[in-house]
Amino acid sequence: MQEYKLLGQKPTRHGFGHALVTLGERYDNVVVLGGDITGSVMTSFFKEKFPDRFFSIGIAEQNATTIAAGLALSGKIPFFASYGAFCAFRNADQLRISVCYNEANVKIGGGHAGISVGPDGATHQVLEEVSFLRALPHMTLVVPCDYEEARKATIAIGEKVGPAYIRFGRSPVPQFTIEDTPFELGKALVMREGNDVALIACGALVWEAMLAAQELAKRGISARVINSPSIKPFDVQTVVQAAQECGAVVTAEEHQVYGALGGAVAEVLAKNYPVPVEFVGVKDTFGGSGEPEELMVKFGLTWREIYASALVAMERRDKGFLGSVRRATDVAVYEEETIEQQ
Amino acid sequence: MAFDNRRRTPEELAEVAAEIRRDIIKMLVEAGSGHSGGPLGTTDIYAVLYLGGILRHRPEEPNWAGRDRYVLSAGHMAPVLYATLANAGYFSKEELLTLRKYNTRLQGHPGRDTGLPGIETSSGSLGQGISIAVGMAMSDKLLDKSDRRVFSLTGDGELQEGSVWEAVMAASHYKLDNFCWIIDNNDCQIDGRIDEVMSVYPIDAKCESFGFDTITVDGHNFDELYGAFDRFIENHRNGTGKPTAIIAKTYMGKGVSFMHDKFEWHGKPPSAAEAELALKELMASN
Ligand SMILES: Cc1ncc(C[n+]2csc(CCOP(=O)(O)OP(=O)(O)O)c2C)c(N)n1
């Protein structure tokens, strides 16, 4: 299997911006709507290249979403992008009824997602939209892990008919997939083989899961790393197989722990193959200002939590029960051990 | 030393405003991110409101039950609110330098969860603060029968949010003469000039047709600002049953020559060198 190495750092939003230009070149019915934030979410690339197919709607996310539905019902493929905080929630009703219920071919790019938007603070650090969007019938939902995957995912949702949402961040994040790395909606990708524990992640936490797997290997634990960018449709088979072969699972995402990737994994396993699952994510709290790196540490979104959670999940498996072990203290102990090892 | 809150001459207000602007520059350069343009452009309004005897408030007793309330609907302009509150004595000026940092009370956008004194509500999602302000004004006038007043400032780009118009429709419907809406009309937003992004003009005719006593002023002229706020207070006192809208014509980045009227300064901080230059200009200006 391909070995994934760190190739540099780049924001996923650039992948989105570049892919829009590609889509614009391929299809002349692709149009883009701006929400007064085009330079930040990189719809500016498209705007420069195809000024006649770019429409500024102003700071009006509800209107932009429903205008997009109207364009879609007239044969266009509209993309609207803004901060995820405002183009998943301000327009939630519009997404539900005008877009999804209509099965309108509307694509939303939700930028600056997650805690890593940093100094802007809690209002802008959207950490809940994946749960909401996942629950919408007909929605396709992707959370890419790096620039290259964001680029491919944007093209994929552009070429699939129906409502879709792609989530991307602001800060540069590790780049480790390449042009040849497969990407398919509805498919997860095994990034590293292993049979002791499965680490299932999306977005910026995929690389952290890779780092956690490296650390676990030092302890003789072989972790399988699964990148699951496609939250909906979801790759049930890869997840169930991982549970069957590893018997212990950790999910990791830059999102609330409720109802997103972790929720999807838990639902699938509860129905098909129950094993202990530990959830890495934001624990039912709002974010706050700070630098992205310090916030990722504060909110427990680094390889350390994935590593510690892997040990907890395996212990629960080995003790033969699905219930919780002394989780809080265990994580603290594992964290201390890890820090000592460094 | 904090400034006290009293009627001031234009010269005195210019001094207050220059001090607030200097604080804004110092905060932003220290933070390394944040919004310069709107805060500098609205500073003169804050000087009159908070330190010129318009807003009835007690910095030493931030939750005083008789206070007028001010809601910053355009939450990204937080630096000017923080700098004004510190200059009024709500908290120390040293704390201003924690803007946007880890564990700060001075969040990138106002956060009520921080407990920072003087913050009436969280804001940062455009078009919401003004509805909160209308709710407060309804509570004061229709339920508590108190004589408190509520002020709320929106940007002009913010007017593109439909919810703003829902808010002011309700203010008019409920005859909230205790409600004063301030519009920062700097004609700038992130992507460019208001007209290029999505025109909201004419603003005055819209406000009037929504039932507001509408006053257009030069937002950097203290006499005109006093005139407008005094008319609002009169409207309230006389029980006209009409809310008041003050359209303040301002310049983004006012007070710093290289930021003046440039939308590019909406959301970025000055570099160290730019801050030095800006502070020099702001020293000379009073
Ligand atoms: C609902 C919502 N959409 C988008 C944004 C992002 N945003 C922050 S400030 C801003 C522009 C505001 O323009 P204006 O009100 O004119 O303020 P100014 O540029 O004068 O500071 C935008 C689009 C937001 N904060 N909230």
Side-chain angles (χ1 to χ4, degrees), chain B residues 140-274:
Chain B
D140 288 344
K141 181 171 163 137
L142 308 179
L143 299 168
D144 296 346
K145 320 279 184 215
S146 89
D147 83 330
R148 297 166 73 178
R149 304 177 189 120
V150 183
F151 297 78
S152 183
L153 183 141
T154 63
D156 46 9
E158 185 174 8
L159 305 184
Q160 293 156 356
E161 285 290 356
S163 62
V164 168
W165 302 98
E166 297 173 17
V168 300
M169 194 186 319
S172 181
H173 181 80
Y174 284 109
K175 304 189 176 8
L176 301 180
D177 47 24
N178 58 339
F179 177 65
C180 180
W181 174 22
I182 307 158
I183 299 168
D184 174 37
N185 188 198
N186 61 11
D187 199 42
C188 291
Q189 58 185 117
I190 297 177
D191 280 355
R193 293 275 159 193
I194 299 290
D195 256 341
E196 294 161 9
V197 179
M198 178 57 61
S199 181
V200 296
Y201 297 114
I203 299 173
D204 52 357
K206 284 192 180 67
C207 295
E208 262 156 38
S209 70
F210 270 78
F212 277 62
D213 182 23
T214 304
I215 313 159
T216 301
V217 298
D218 171 351
H220 304 301
N221 180 311
F222 297 115
D223 288 331
E224 288 190 28
L225 284 168
Y226 266 136
F229 284 125
D230 286 345
R231 189 156 120 196
F232 160 60
I233 290 167
E234 274 305 298
N235 284 344
H236 180 218
R237 208 171 272 143
N238 296 337
T240 59
K242 263 188 159 205
T244 301
I246 301 176
I247 302 169
K249 298 271 184 196
T250 64
Y251 290 108
M252 179 166 271
K254 170 79 177 174
V256 177
S257 59
F258 55 89
M259 299 185 186
H260 189 83
D261 202 23
K262 293 208 164 69
F263 66 82
E264 294 83 353
W265 281 97
H266 160 89
K268 63 175 180 179
S271 67
E274 287 166 337

Side-chain angles (χ1 to χ4, degrees), chain B residues 37-58:
Chain B
L40 292 169
T42 51
T43 300
D44 297 321
I45 299 168
Y46 282 80
V48 175
L49 256 184
Y50 274 88
L51 299 157
I54 296 296
L55 203 69
R56 295 169 297 185
H57 66 122
R58 296 180 180 165

Side-chain angles (χ1 to χ4, degrees), chain A residues 11-326:
Chain A
T12 46
R13 60 191 165 125
H14 287 247
F16 174 72
H18 287 140
L20 285 186
V21 174
T22 306
L23 284 168
E25 283 161 352
R26 282 189 202 166
Y27 308 100
D28 57 15
N29 58 343
V30 167
V31 300
V32 172
L33 305 182
D36 192 31
I37 192 94
T38 56
S40 298
V41 294
M42 300 301 164
T43 44
S44 48
F45 298 158
F46 185 97
K47 179 182 176 180
E48 268 162 43
K49 192 91 196 262
F50 306 104
D52 296 344
R53 287 193 266 150
F54 176 88
F55 300 95
S56 172
I57 306 297
I59 312 168
E61 296 79 8
Q62 302 176 58
N63 197 33
T65 303
T66 28
I67 283 180
L71 287 162
L73 297 178
S74 310
K76 308 302 174 293
I77 307 175
F79 276 78
F80 168 55
S82 180
Y83 288 2
F86 311 123
C87 68
F89 283 121
R90 186 53 159 271
N91 54 348
D93 183 18
Q94 284 80 0
L95 281 174
R96 178 173 170 268
I97 295 172
S98 295
V99 175
C100 287
Y101 184 46
N102 263 333
E103 292 188 65
N105 197 14
V106 170
K107 320 296 177 185
I108 307 282
H112 289 39
I115 208 88
S116 56
V117 61
D120 273 345
T123 53
H124 288 51
Q125 292 160 341
V126 66
L127 294 165
E128 304 81 10
E129 82 281 28
V130 175
S131 322
F132 160 64
L133 295 162
R134 232 194 107 218
L136 291 177
H138 302 308
M139 184 61 97
T140 293
L141 174 57
V142 198
V143 183
C145 66
D146 68 357
Y147 167 86
E148 189 54 36
E149 193 170 85
R151 198 183 61 77
K152 286 179 204 147
T154 304
I155 292 174
I157 62 168
E159 293 184 336
K160 177 180 175 178
V161 178
Y165 187 102
I166 178 165
R167 182 189 210 231
F168 46 91
R170 178 171 75 184
S171 318
V173 290
Q175 231 184 307
F176 49 97
T177 70
I178 57 172
E179 218 178 317
D180 289 344
T181 309
F183 175 85
E184 201 183 320
L185 290 170
K187 285 272 182 298
L189 186 67
V190 177
M191 309 285 287
R192 181 178 169 127
E193 292 290 0
N195 284 321
D196 292 334
V197 61
L199 314 178
I200 306 175
C202 62
L205 287 226
V206 175
W207 184 248
E208 296 297 322
M210 293 291 276
L211 296 178
Q214 277 172 27
E215 292 299 320
L216 288 163
K218 291 182 194 162
R219 270 176 92 126
I221 297 164
S222 85
R224 178 179 306 185
V225 178
I226 295 170
N227 169 19
S228 180
S230 185
I231 305 295
K232 192 178 188 178
F234 193 60
D235 187 344
V236 174
Q237 200 205 326
T238 300
V239 169
V240 171
Q241 193 182 337
Q244 287 166 341
E245 291 171 8
C246 302
V249 169
V250 176
T251 65
E253 57 198 316
E254 192 182 345
H255 191 275
Q256 300 286 355
V257 286
Y258 301 137
L261 173 66
V265 168
E267 288 159 23
V268 162
L269 295 184
K271 189 169 156 71
N272 295 287
Y273 197 86
V275 298
V277 183
E278 291 291 323
F279 305 94
V280 173
V282 176
K283 307 277 190 311
D284 201 16
T285 173
F286 283 102
S289 288
E291 288 310 313
E293 308 76 50
E294 55 192 5
L295 293 172
M296 293 300 270
V297 171
K298 174 177 177 174
F299 289 92
L301 300 171
T302 72
W303 67 266
R304 283 168 200 282
E305 288 73 23
I306 302 175
Y307 173 94
S309 300
L311 299 184
V312 173
M314 286 189 297
E315 187 176 342
R316 285 174 56 198
R317 173 196 62 205
D318 297 343
K319 286 188 175 162
F321 54 82
L322 290 170
S324 175
V325 288
R326 300 157 292 117

